[in-house]
């Protein structure tokens, strides 16, 4: 571990050693993200001490869980692992099968706390399907593990307003709201937080971040992947519940929020919730639902399914800053490209001074674009004069990529950052009960009267009607110009 990383780790980690109760410890998410992430946080020194107790339906012992963890690190960890690093991590692993019950779990936690010595905190990570979450919460309550603990919940947080209110009420019977961390891995990505830095640290941009200068905003998250083994789950969920409520609306809140009174969890959460309170109810006429050809033949899918695998919508924020500015959101499966793009289109200036044929306006308005991939990129496009005689204009761009800084190795993966924040009690990147219930409230018109699904071919950009939705504007994806490669000579 580098000296720089070690210093950073000591400054941003939790104060106390952590006992991680990982429910669903042998599942896919745990193996792909959580175990490799916890290994890195422990090894890099972000956590002053850590022991992990796996809990799942699998009837294995601690040695069996260590074998699962080693396999997960070998397959999915992106960082080099020395033998001594693994030995230290493995020594902190224990396992309790779900069938052993609350008493066995309580005893395992007590043993882990004794091994750490001194004061410690507990973090419960529920990496389980939604229908198993409340039973896991009851297990933790029966094991008397609520005190000195925080709980991380995976999406979805309900499927409509009634189920979200019910879920939150049952959670609050056991855990207080300040103990609950509803995780959205999109907000854990470095570029998502860069939006806050970009807006509030630069006097150049915050004054123009409003309806007077911005024409419209697009948040576009197409995916090339299909559903694989998730088709059964997805059939009861769909693209809107799976992606928009839990991911795209959270990104929208970062984009649209007012400056918080401080860059601290409570003020930031309050400003995000103000955005959600200002969202107008979604109108079905402003929504396009799609389904890729072949979805109904997937295992676990109704042959006459009406579930959408694609959704595009226009939403409006009814407040002083954003009145009249449409926000266009789009996401779906089996689309032409996999991207995570926020694109802000600025209002076009009067063009009367430029001669006909100059090219001004021919390539659309100026855009500020954020790429929310793990390695942050930003681009600001503008018109500039083409060299030579006459007044011919071309679209040019200023671009930044995290690779340019030489600090790409310091980037934490999304789950690593969010686990660390939950350990620290930092709610900045998590949604609240109030926020999630308000989002389901504005969703009522869509859920009660969804427009019919329109078929689209796999590998396309969705149903053709998405172009009418965004008219007279155009979708930014696919890009006409590729991002510049910072490693290419002369780029």
């Amino acid at each position: 571990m580098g000296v720089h990383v070690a210093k950073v780790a000591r400054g941003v980690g939790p104060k106390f050693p952590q006992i991680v109760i990982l429910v669903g410890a042998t599942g896919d998410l745990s193996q792909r993200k959580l175990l490799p992430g916890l290994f890195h946080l422990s090894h890099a020194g972000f956590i002053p001490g850590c022991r992990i107790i796996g809990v799942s339906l699998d009837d294995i012992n601690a040695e069996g869980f260590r074998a699962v963890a080693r396999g997960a690190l070998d397959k999915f960890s992106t960082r080099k692992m020395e033998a001594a690093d693994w030995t230290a991590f493995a020594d902190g692993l224990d396992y309790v099968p779900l069938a052993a019950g609350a008493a066995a779990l309580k005893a395992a936690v007590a043993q882990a706390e004794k091994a750490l010595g001194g004061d410690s905190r507990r973090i419960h990570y529920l990496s389980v399907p939604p229908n198993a979450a409340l039973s896991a919460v009851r297990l933790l309550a029966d094991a008397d593990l609520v005190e000195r603990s925080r709980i991380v919940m995976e999406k979805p947080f309900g499927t409509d307003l009634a189920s979200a209110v019910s879920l939150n009420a049952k959670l609050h019977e056991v855990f207080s709201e300040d103990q609950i961390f509803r995780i959205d891995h999109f907000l854990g990505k470095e570029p998502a937080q860069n939006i806050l830095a970009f807006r509030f640290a630069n006097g150049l941009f915050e004054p123009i971040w409003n309806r007077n200068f911005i024409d419209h905003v697009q948040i576009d998250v197409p995916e090339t992947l299909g559903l694989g083994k998730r088709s059964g789950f997805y059939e009861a969920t769909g693209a809107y519940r799976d992606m928009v409520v839990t991911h795209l609306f959270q990104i929208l809140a970062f984009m649209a929020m007012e400056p918080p009174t401080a860059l601290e969890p409570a003020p930031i959460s309050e400003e995000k919730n103000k955005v959600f309170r200002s969202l107008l109810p979604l109108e079905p006429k402003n929504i396009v639902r799609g389904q890729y050809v072949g979805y109904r033949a997937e295992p676990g899918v109704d042959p006459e399914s009406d579930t959408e695998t694609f959704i595009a919508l226009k939403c409006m924020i009814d407040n002083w800053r954003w009145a009249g500015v449409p926000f266009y959101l789009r996401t779906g499966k089996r689309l032409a490209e996999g991207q995570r793009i926020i694109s802000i289109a600025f209002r076009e200036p009067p063009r009367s001074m430029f001669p006909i044929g100059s090219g001004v306006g021919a390539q659309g308005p100026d855009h500020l674009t954020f790429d929310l991939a793990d390695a942050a990129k930003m681009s600001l496009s503008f018109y500039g004069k083409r060299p030579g005689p006459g007044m011919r204009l071309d679209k040019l761009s200023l671009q930044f990529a995290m690779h340019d800084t030489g600090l790409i190795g310091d980037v934490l993966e999304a789950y690593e950052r969010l686990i660390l924040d939950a350990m620290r009690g930092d709610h900045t990147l998590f949604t609240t009960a109030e926020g999630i219930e308000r989002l389901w409230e504005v969703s009522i018109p869509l859920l009660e009267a969804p427009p019919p699904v329109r078929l689209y071919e796999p590998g396309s950009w969705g149903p053709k009607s998405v172009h009418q939705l965004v008219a007279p504007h155009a979708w930014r994806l696919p890009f006409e110009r590729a991002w510049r490669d910072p490693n290419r000579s002369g780029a």
Side-chain angles (χ1 to χ4, degrees), residues 14-23 38 47-53 55 102-126 137 139-153 174-176 178-181 418-427:
K15 296 179 181 178
F16 299 100
Q18 302 287 315
I19 308 291
V20 181
I21 294 89
L22 183 53
V23 185
L38 287 165
I47 309 172
C50 181
R51 297 186 78 85
I52 300 167
I53 300 170
V55 179
L105 180 57
K106 182 176 182 178
V109 172
Q111 184 179 351
E113 290 177 337
K114 183 178 179 181
L116 284 174
D119 202 357
S120 62
R121 297 291 183 269
R122 306 158 182 161
I123 181 159
H124 311 298
Y125 198 117
L126 304 192
V137 169
L139 172 68
L140 297 171
D142 292 344
D144 195 23
L145 297 177
V146 176
E147 187 182 352
R148 291 184 290 113
S149 75
R150 299 179 174 114
I151 183 168
V152 180
M153 308 284 296
V174 179
F175 292 96
S176 62
D178 66 346
Q179 290 178 288
I180 301 169
F181 292 77
L418 292 169
I419 291 169
L420 197 64
D421 283 354
M423 288 176 172
R424 295 168 53 232
D426 186 337
H427 277 88

Side-chain angles (χ1 to χ4, degrees), residues 215-218 326 328 345 348 365 466-475:
D215 185 78
H216 65 279
V217 177
Q218 294 180 24
Y328 298 101
E348 297 187 60
V466 296
H467 301 295
Q468 284 78 51
L469 176 70
V470 78
H473 315 298
W475 291 103

Side-chain angles (χ1 to χ4, degrees), residues 401-469:
M402 184 63 71
H403 284 283
D404 298 338
T405 65
L407 298 175
I408 191 69
D410 290 352
V411 173
L412 287 178
E413 291 189 355
Y415 279 99
E416 294 173 353
R417 177 182 303 281
L418 292 169
I419 291 169
L420 197 64
D421 283 354
M423 288 176 172
R424 295 168 53 232
D426 186 337
H427 277 88
T428 301
L429 303 176
F430 299 84
T431 191
T432 64
E434 176 192 339
I436 204 69
E437 289 175 14
R438 172 58 185 167
L439 290 175
W440 286 121
E441 186 179 5
V442 303
S443 304
I444 288 173
L446 165 62
L447 300 180
E448 290 186 344
V453 293
R454 301 173 184 269
L455 296 180
Y456 64 95
E457 289 295 329
S460 70
W461 284 99
K464 296 289 191 293
S465 48
V466 296
H467 301 295
Q468 284 78 51
L469 176 70

Side-chain angles (χ1 to χ4, degrees), residues 90-106:
D91 285 346
L93 298 179
D94 198 0
Y95 184 83
V96 176
L98 204 57
L105 180 57
K106 182 176 182 178

Side-chain angles (χ1 to χ4, degrees), residues 167-369:
L167 174 62
N168 285 329
K170 290 174 181 175
L171 281 174
H172 291 155
E173 290 174 3
V174 179
F175 292 96
S176 62
E177 179 63 19
D178 66 346
Q179 290 178 288
I180 301 169
F181 292 77
R182 299 169 186 82
I183 197 165
D184 171 17
H185 70 272
F186 268 51
L187 291 189
K189 294 180 179 296
E190 197 77 41
Q193 296 158 81
N194 226 346
I195 296 170
L196 294 182
F198 191 86
R199 283 190 60 187
F200 301 131
N202 296 295
L204 178 63
F205 291 101
E206 180 55 26
I208 64 171
W209 211 266
N210 57 59
R211 70 188 190 283
N212 297 322
F213 297 93
I214 292 176
D215 185 78
H216 65 279
V217 177
Q218 294 180 24
I219 301 175
D220 213 350
V221 186
E223 298 180 292
T224 57
L225 297 175
L227 295 168
K229 298 177 181 178
R230 294 181 68 234
S231 53
F233 157 79
Y234 201 85
E235 173 66 2
T237 306
Y240 182 77
R241 290 179 171 92
D242 185 46
M243 289 291 292
V244 178
V245 175
T246 49
H247 294 325
L248 273 64
F249 276 150
Q250 306 302 324
I251 292 291
L252 180 148
F254 265 30
M255 281 292 307
M257 63 188 275
E258 295 296 318
T261 54
L263 204 64
E264 295 173 358
I268 290 176
S269 291
E270 173 57 20
E271 295 305 334
K272 286 170 59 184
N273 285 341
K274 284 181 183 177
V275 173
F276 299 147
R277 290 197 291 268
S278 300
L279 269 176
L280 292 175
L282 300 178
E283 298 185 38
K285 69 178 183 180
N286 291 330
I287 295 165
V288 175
R289 297 169 68 236
Q291 185 186 93
Y292 66 78
V293 175
Y295 169 74
R296 293 176 182 178
E298 302 271 11
V301 174
D302 185 337
E304 298 181 1
S305 173
D306 187 52
T307 298
E308 79 279 356
T309 61
F310 170 97
I311 191 157
L313 58 108
K314 179 173 79 170
C315 56
M316 307 293 289
I317 300 173
D318 188 23
N319 65 16
W320 190 268
R321 182 182 292 262
W322 296 113
V325 177
F327 285 72
Y328 298 101
L329 282 54
R330 178 174 65 167
T331 186
K333 303 291 186 183
R334 301 290 301 274
L335 296 176
E337 294 179 19
Q339 295 277 5
R340 293 168 180 171
I341 295 292
I342 301 173
S343 187
I344 298 131
F346 293 102
R347 294 193 180 278
E348 297 187 60
R351 299 191 293 271
S352 57
M353 70 181 69
F354 294 97
I356 295 174
S358 66
V360 67
Q363 297 183 57
D366 299 338
H367 283 88
L368 175 63
T369 303

